[in-house]
Amino acid sequence: MRNGILVGGNWIMDQVKLIDVFPEEEKLVNIFTESACNGGSAYNVIMGLVKLQADFPLSGVGLVGDDEKGDRIISHCQSLGINTNQIRQTKAAHTSYTDVMSVKSTGKRTFFHQRGANALLDIHDFDFSGSQDKIFHLGYLLLLDKLDIIEADGTTRATKVLKNAKAGGLITSVDIVSERSDRFKDVIPPSLPYIDYLFVNEYEAGMITGISTMIDGNIILKRCYEAAHRIIDMGVKQWVILHFPTGVIAVSRGGQTHYQPSINMPAEKIAGASGAGDAFAAGVLTGVHNDREITECLNLGVCAAASSLFEPTSSDGILPSTECLKLAQLFGYREAI
């Protein structure tokens, strides 16, 4: 039987700075704290799985620089028992990093990103031939330059990676970055037929489908459902999981729909929201791997995301699964929209 999750994509060192407000140009703000931690979909999700105490093997795939940051990422993973055979170091680029500016009062984050080695990650870096893993998670599309290239046949290089993973017998899962561009409709659709679980937020879903999921800054739940159904029609094999600050909806190829509200976290408990989406994905994927019902997967996801808010870094606040689930009883859920 297949067992384990292989996590690939962006491996980033986040340099998180907790600030009082985000400034206008040429204005000064105060930095309260600063720290370095894991960042990027692959690094965040695999650390989330570790923190949740996943009871199955974990492996990574990606590119880092042949430098101190790259050494740190690989040694960190190895110290936690993660298989790093497919995390390769390259001399062609430095390890990717992001300066994350997180506003203390709101949890809102702004990212200054150096793409680095992640931009060179390509089809040949992924080997599924000997994998006994159950799930392959890839993120973020739109932030992996080589894999986002559109080929002559209209597919992307990420499409071929996902197709290979499916041919290798793995369940596929994908996350997307919230890029401010018009590339969504060209880069994302070719991969959808090879994705079993797609994680998107309301903005990304709207950009893929052209359906406006927000009006005057407010989430329109009906339109979120419409967008999720549209993405299913575009090819996603099992579930579209569409998350937003107050909750998440899930829509299946078979027509099932579910709504899960977020945990009602007190403002004074929130140190920062960096990595909350990846913590959510780690929670959901833990449930999927262990063959839980989708409702249980979503609940663990929102609980994992809530626990990540306890710390300003991406994963340090995440609690073991059993402790995460207690947050629902402790704080309750947010009102449904």
Side-chain angles (χ1 to χ4, degrees), residues 70-321:
D71 293 341
R72 178 173 174 175
I73 289 172
I74 291 174
S75 63
H76 184 206
C77 290
Q78 290 176 343
S79 72
L80 297 168
I82 295 166
N83 184 331
T84 62
N85 289 345
Q86 290 196 72
I87 304 178
R88 188 166 62 85
Q89 290 185 280
T90 177
K91 295 183 181 296
H94 295 294
T95 300
S96 176
Y97 69 88
T98 303
D99 287 331
V100 182
M101 306 301 170
S102 183
V103 178
K104 181 175 176 60
S105 60
T106 66
K108 291 184 177 180
R109 299 155 295 151
T110 305
F111 307 92
F112 298 85
H113 181 58
Q114 166 57 258
R115 294 171 105 88
N118 289 321
L120 304 180
L121 186 67
D122 208 347
I123 297 170
H124 62 264
D125 293 305
F126 297 83
D127 182 8
F128 303 107
S129 59
S131 174
Q132 291 303 308
D133 293 295
K134 185 173 183 177
I135 298 172
F136 168 58
H137 178 76
L138 178 64
Y140 306 107
L141 296 189
L142 294 175
L143 197 59
L144 293 164
D145 296 45
K146 287 281 190 181
L147 296 182
D148 291 333
I149 290 174
I150 300 172
E151 305 279 52
D153 62 1
T155 65
T156 67
R157 298 180 74 77
T159 303
K160 293 176 173 60
V161 170
L162 292 162
K163 185 177 181 179
N164 291 341
K166 291 293 293 177
L170 285 86
I171 297 168
T172 56
S173 166
V174 166
D175 204 349
I176 301 170
V177 77
S178 293
E179 178 181 84
R180 299 292 171 179
S181 78
D182 57 1
R183 294 196 302 153
F184 286 82
K185 291 184 179 180
D186 296 323
V187 174
I188 304 304
S191 294
L192 297 180
Y194 303 100
I195 297 172
D196 292 303
Y197 291 81
L198 178 67
F199 292 88
V200 290
N201 62 25
E202 74 285 354
Y203 169 77
E204 296 154 0
M207 293 299 290
I208 293 168
T209 62
I211 295 172
S212 179
T213 57
M214 298 183 68
I215 295 179
D216 297 328
N218 297 312
I219 302 290
I220 307 302
L221 190 60
K222 179 181 178 182
R223 293 189 180 182
C224 288
Y225 278 112
E226 290 175 2
H229 280 290
R230 178 77 58 83
I231 296 171
I232 286 287
D233 292 340
M234 293 168 73
V236 171
K237 294 301 184 186
Q238 295 195 46
W239 290 92
V240 171
I241 299 171
L242 194 162
H243 55 92
F244 38 87
T246 55
V248 55
I249 63 171
V251 173
S252 78
R253 172 152 293 279
Q256 296 181 60
T257 62
H258 297 282
Y259 178 87
Q260 171 63 56
S262 300
I263 302 300
N264 189 26
M265 290 289 289
E268 65 272 14
K269 298 288 186 181
I270 300 174
S274 182
D278 295 318
F280 169 75
V284 173
L285 291 173
T286 297
V288 171
H289 182 280
N290 293 336
D291 299 320
R292 304 300 185 191
E293 294 293 331
I294 191 65
T295 50
E296 295 180 70
C297 299
L298 298 177
N299 188 50
L300 180 55
V302 298
C303 289
S307 70
S308 76
L309 303 178
F310 289 133
E311 298 290 342
T313 52
S314 298
S315 307
D316 288 341
I318 300 175
L319 301 170
S321 293

